[in-house]
Amino acid sequence: LQRWHAGDARALEELLRRDLPWIESFVRKRLGPLLRAKAETVDYVQDAVIEVLRYGPRFVCSDRERFRALLARIVENTLRDKHDWH
């Protein structure tokens, strides 16, 4: 997490590879009927990962729990934005 915050792209790749299954599971749990009808789960996962890449480095996460809390917030906001758009 510290390497990622310092700008190490490989560290970010490792974090995403490690937590991508968790992100996918979280997205599946949070999708409502409207969003399920509009796109595949993988599309929402990709949108969330893009948001992590865009905004995540601004935040310092001291451990995996806080990193996942950040991921959850980003996923929630991404899904909410998509729902509002539809």
Side-chain angles (χ1 to χ4, degrees):
L1 291 167
Q2 290 172 349
R3 288 178 30 224
W4 173 49
H5 185 69
D8 183 344
R10 284 190 44 82
L12 176 60
E13 291 172 21
E14 291 169 20
L15 285 170
L16 288 175
R17 192 174 312 116
R18 177 191 77 184
D19 285 314
L20 191 58
W22 184 88
I23 295 169
E24 291 171 357
S25 174
F26 190 84
V27 168
R28 270 194 297 284
K29 290 176 192 173
R30 300 301 300 154
L31 282 180
L34 174 71
L35 292 180
R36 284 184 196 279
K38 297 293 183 181
E40 298 293 321
T41 300
V42 68
D43 297 324
Y44 298 114
V45 170
Q46 289 174 353
D47 290 342
V49 169
I50 288 169
E51 293 303 306
V52 169
L53 294 172
R54 184 177 298 149
Y55 296 110
R58 297 180 188 173
F59 300 96
V60 177
C61 299
S62 58
D63 56 34
R64 190 174 195 177
E65 182 179 327
R66 292 183 198 277
F67 179 65
R68 285 192 171 173
L70 173 64
L71 291 175
R73 176 63 60 101
I74 291 171
V75 168
E76 289 284 343
N77 289 340
T78 301
L79 296 177
R80 188 175 299 114
D81 290 346
K82 291 290 184 184
H83 184 271
D84 291 349
W85 186 82
H86 288 295

